[in-house]
Amino acid sequence: MADGEVVADHDVLMIGGGLAGLRAAVAIAETSAHLDVAVMSKVYPMRSHSVSAEGGAAGAIADDDDTLDEHAYDTVSGSDWLGDQDAIEAFVAEAPRELLQLEHWGCPWSRQPDGRIAVRAFGGMKKMRTWFAADKTGFHMLHALFQTTLKYREVTRYDEWFVTRLLVDDGRVQGVVAIELMTGRIQAVTAKAVVLATGGCGKVFPFTTNANINTGDGMALALRAGAPLKDMEFVQYHPTGLPFTGILITEAARAEGGWLVNADGYRYLQDYDLGTPSPTPVLRSMELGPRDRLSQAFVHEAEKGRTTASPYGEVVHLDLRHLGEKLIDSKLPFVRELCLKYERIDPVHELIPVRPVIHYMMGGVHTDIDGAAGLDGLYAAGETACVSINGANRLGSNSLPECLVFGARSGRAAAEYAGSAPPTTAAVQAQVDDEVRRLRALLDRPAGDDDGVARIREELQSTMEEAAGIYRTGPSMEKGADAVQALRERADAVGIRDTSRPFNTELVAALELANLVDIGECILLSGLAREESRGAHQRTDFPARDDEHFLAHHLVRRADDGSPRIEQLPVTITRWPPGERVYGR
Ligand SMILES: Cc1cc2nc3c(=O)[nH]c(=O)nc-3n(C[C@H](O)[C@H](O)[C@H](O)COP(=O)(O)OP(=O)(O)OC[C@H]3O[C@@H](n4cnc5c(N)ncnc54)[C@H](O)[C@@H]3O)c2cc1C
């Protein structure tokens, strides 16, 4: 088979085999059995980043005195009032049903001795409502969903296909061009509707919990196709990553009673309006405060010289020793395993060095509450989408259920659209041919001696950390934006040393680099436009939240000349008017 052929036509094509993509596929298979559904993924679905989620998934049901309103309020205030409250209300109402449904599909939720679902505390949540499967929650959730997709013969899979372009004609998305990695062939798959479920973009930064595959491909594809991205300035640091590898030590470690201590062995969070130390965890206090506040506190400790130098930067320590071996082995076995394997530290007896690490993108492809991305036939769900329930700061354990709730919603909406969408237009073939020419030219371009994909990516990552880290300023982001422009020129000219076709990882890395550059630019431009501090976007030149001017989302889209444009979109407020974010009390 030659390059440029349209190899199949489906009703709905999911890009992404993580939680959001698989949930969307199952939603369609269950409700519209006559539709032809496909899932395309650049890795085998079980290798999607969802598999590495540890801590748990929030759903207000298990604790007797919990309510949907309290989950909604915690999410609204956690978002620093930037989350859309209609989406949040739908989310909290549907999350428990989704989690129960997942159990029926085989997810082994941890249980209390009396058989009821066990829940744990999580940062920024007033009640214990985080369901978990020990500390391998994502693995079990994804596995249950993956097995469920296998029941449905109408779900076609394209494993290890890398999407490079959305096909858009007649004002609607009609499919994709992708590289079948095993052969290297460049092919097209058309579809009446496409759901982007491509996950996050942590790799824009140097130090991240995210997998190497999290390069924001879906966001870049949508942007180039003409769909806007939303709230890209809000990038979450998780307060506890292992130095060097960036491997996550789950918030569950603090939920089970772990303490964060500085170089003096002092629980420093008491100095940052996060409550006073208590021997047992107190909800929304101290170590169970929200992630943005905890990461910011780390920076202040470092400035005061109260952190510890390590070969991989300054660290504080997570102390689990007082929890005891029995609890650690039953509730946090993976934490112990990770520490032993990657740091040669046993948390039963030793302190774990940790530092803030890029973890999650609150922004993403702008969608409505049913995943529609503002371009006919295009939907998005999961971390690549911005509905938005997370606003300026996501609460831990809200993302996994978000993938389920909005994965299912977008699947259903895409199915409905596909049911009455017109057939593919002939003009898309010209776009396929155009993409084949572009990719072949990239493969044929001679590689220079000094500039390679890896070097440019490293420079991009360090530029982003300096320009838009935990604290940013106008000048830091302007300087970063200029540097990203220069890096874009180098990335556009980069040559590929490996000219073979099967599994050409260098080619894939070059395409991912182009995506990272686009995402980096959007983060910086959205950040520059937001002259206030809110949630994870902290500007030392504009330290206060400014609801008068910035209680609004930022949309960034490409103008006809290719340059990015920013506009504002009002936040939907239903029942909770903007207020102060108070923790520790
Ligand atoms: C270490 C870690 C721990 C976490 N723990 C928790 C937790 O305890 N609780 C919680 O709520 N959240 C947690 N999160 C966040 C949460 O896991 C993610 O936000 C969520 O799983 C994302 O799921 P997704 O389906 O959107 O994307 P992913 O699971 O990342 O899947 C993306 C899919 O898109 C495919 N793809 C991407 N680009 C392309 C392309 N160009 N062509 C074809 N396919 C493509 C990939 O192959 C993959 O299948 C954690 C995140 C990390 C990194």
Side-chain angles (χ1 to χ4, degrees):
M1 201 179 287
D3 282 341
E5 287 193 31
V6 177
V7 293
D9 181 48
H10 298 283
D11 289 309
V12 186
L13 174 63
M14 262 54 67
I15 310 299
L19 269 186
L22 294 186
R23 182 66 189 93
V26 174
I28 303 171
E30 292 219 309
T31 51
S32 323
H34 58 287
L35 288 184
D36 173 356
V37 185
V39 175
M40 186 177 279
S41 171
K42 67 180 174 180
V43 296
Y44 189 72
M46 277 306 295
R47 298 179 68 97
S48 306
H49 187 65
S50 294
V51 81
S52 58
E54 299 167 28
I61 181 176
D63 198 348
D64 292 338
D65 67 345
D66 199 3
T67 64
L68 298 183
D69 275 5
E70 280 178 283
H71 189 187
Y73 178 80
D74 287 349
T75 305
V76 169
S77 75
S79 81
D80 220 345
W81 270 267
L82 198 73
D84 284 318
Q85 296 179 10
D86 54 344
I88 292 172
E89 289 193 67
F91 163 68
V92 300
E94 288 166 36
R97 287 204 291 275
E98 285 289 336
L99 297 178
L100 267 184
Q101 175 64 66
L102 215 62
E103 164 151 295
H104 297 162
W105 285 332
C107 181
W109 297 118
S110 293
R111 299 198 167 265
Q112 301 179 37
D114 66 3
R116 287 181 304 150
I117 296 287
V119 279
R120 57 169 47 126
F122 239 67
M125 301 263 192
K126 235 189 316 278
K127 292 278 163 65
M128 306 236 285
R129 61 171 73 99
T130 297
W131 306 35
F132 56 96
D135 54 1
K136 292 186 178 157
T137 309
F139 169 82
H140 290 297
M141 291 176 76
L142 192 62
H143 205 253
L145 212 42
F146 182 54
Q147 291 186 123
T148 306
T149 61
L150 301 180
K151 278 199 317 209
Y152 295 101
R153 280 204 309 202
E154 54 275 30
V155 180
T156 307
R157 288 221 322 274
Y158 296 88
D159 294 343
E160 301 187 328
W161 284 55
F162 182 89
V163 176
T164 66
R165 176 167 173 165
L166 292 174
L167 295 167
V168 191
D169 185 50
D170 193 25
R172 56 198 166 88
V173 172
Q174 302 190 19
V176 302
V177 178
I179 304 170
E180 183 191 22
L181 295 173
M182 190 170 71
T183 60
R185 277 194 291 256
I186 304 159
Q187 305 184 343
V189 173
T190 54
K192 296 197 176 68
V194 172
V195 180
L196 293 171
T198 46
C201 58
K203 282 287 157 185
V204 183
F205 288 82
F207 187 64
T208 174
T209 63
N210 282 199
N212 280 335
I213 51 175
N214 288 10
T215 47
D217 300 355
M219 298 174 204
L221 289 168
L223 185 72
R224 283 178 217 142
L229 305 186
K230 184 162 76 190
D231 296 341
M232 292 297 286
E233 60 273 46
F234 297 104
V235 189
Q236 177 166 79
Y237 277 81
H238 190 293
T240 58
L242 290 181
F244 180 48
T245 57
I247 288 173
L248 178 74
I249 298 300
T250 169
E251 198 161 297
R254 284 171 278 131
E256 297 299 341
W259 297 335
L260 278 171
V261 294
N262 66 14
D264 305 324
Y266 172 69
R267 287 177 72 186
Y268 60 91
L269 292 172
Q270 60 194 291
D271 297 348
Y272 297 93
D273 277 342
L274 287 162
T276 47
S278 141
T280 49
V282 178
L283 294 157
R284 282 167 67 95
S285 277
M286 296 286 292
E287 285 83 1
L288 289 179
R291 291 175 179 175
D292 54 344
R293 294 279 173 88
L294 264 58
S295 300
Q296 290 149 22
F298 171 89
V299 175
H300 295 299
E301 284 300 291
E303 282 166 1
K304 290 177 196 157
R306 304 202 300 199
T307 50
T308 306
S310 86
Y312 306 104
E314 294 294 313
V315 296
V316 287
H317 287 93
L318 183 62
D319 189 353
L320 306 187
R321 295 171 302 178
H322 54 285
L323 302 183
E325 185 163 12
K326 195 161 160 238
L327 185 142
I328 292 176
D329 281 347
S330 63
K331 296 274 185 63
L332 305 166
F334 196 39
V335 167
R336 191 174 187 190
E337 186 185 325
L338 290 171
C339 290
L340 285 166
K341 282 197 176 140
Y342 292 94
E343 292 285 334
R344 295 197 178 279
I345 278 174
D346 185 352
V348 172
H349 307 293
E350 293 162 280
L351 297 174
I352 312 171
V354 289
R355 55 169 275 202
V357 52
I358 288 283
H359 184 56
Y360 183 85
M361 172 43 105
M362 265 74 73
V365 179
H366 165 53
T367 72
D368 70 9
I369 203 163
D370 288 312
L375 202 58
D376 283 353
L378 187 65
Y379 296 80
E383 190 168 339
T384 204
C386 181
V387 180
S388 138
I389 65 158
N390 301 308
N393 172 63
R394 171 177 76 96
L395 293 187
S397 76
N398 265 353
S399 173
L400 295 174
E402 175 183 1
C403 289
L404 299 177
V405 168
F406 293 100
R409 278 177 165 255
S410 353
R412 288 191 286 264
E416 197 183 327
Y417 171 85
S420 57
T424 314
T425 52
V428 297
Q429 185 64 51
Q431 293 183 24
V432 178
D433 297 341
D434 182 52
E435 186 64 358
V436 169
R437 272 192 298 277
R438 181 178 85 90
L439 296 175
R440 280 194 183 152
L442 180 55
L443 270 169
D444 292 343
R445 193 184 297 148
D449 286 340
D450 47 356
D451 224 8
V453 173
R455 182 187 299 259
I456 303 173
R457 187 178 53 220
E458 265 173 34
E459 283 183 41
L460 174 71
Q461 291 169 334
S462 52
T463 300
M464 290 304 295
E465 188 171 51
E466 261 172 51
I470 296 176
Y471 284 97
R472 305 115 182 241
T473 64
S476 77
M477 287 185 284
E478 265 162 27
K479 194 170 152 214
D482 290 343
V484 169
Q485 278 323 311
L487 288 163
R488 176 188 293 287
E489 283 168 27
R490 283 167 55 193
D492 285 349
V494 79
I496 311 286
R497 289 172 178 81
D498 179 1
T499 54
S500 64
R501 285 296 195 97
F503 286 109
N504 189 331
T505 49
E506 196 186 0
L507 172 67
V508 168
L511 295 166
E512 289 174 339
L513 172 65
N515 295 338
L516 292 173
V517 169
D518 280 350
I519 306 291
E521 179 182 50
C522 290
I523 292 173
L524 293 170
L525 295 184
S526 303
L528 272 167
R530 186 172 291 279
E531 297 185 330
E532 64 157 355
S533 288
R534 184 186 295 269
H537 175 71
Q538 291 293 315
R539 286 188 59 161
T540 47
D541 47 353
F542 292 98
R545 191 174 94 185
D546 176 0
D547 285 345
E548 194 188 331
H549 300 102
F550 292 104
L551 185 61
H553 301 292
H554 273 163
L555 293 186
V556 49
R557 69 173 85 230
R558 285 252 164 105
D560 290 342
D561 64 0
S563 61
R565 296 271 186 280
I566 305 261
E567 60 196 89
Q568 286 197 340
L569 182 77
V571 173
T572 305
I573 308 273
T574 56
R575 291 160 53 201
W576 298 279
E580 198 192 340
R581 283 176 80 201
V582 180
Y583 295 96
R585 271 172 268 161

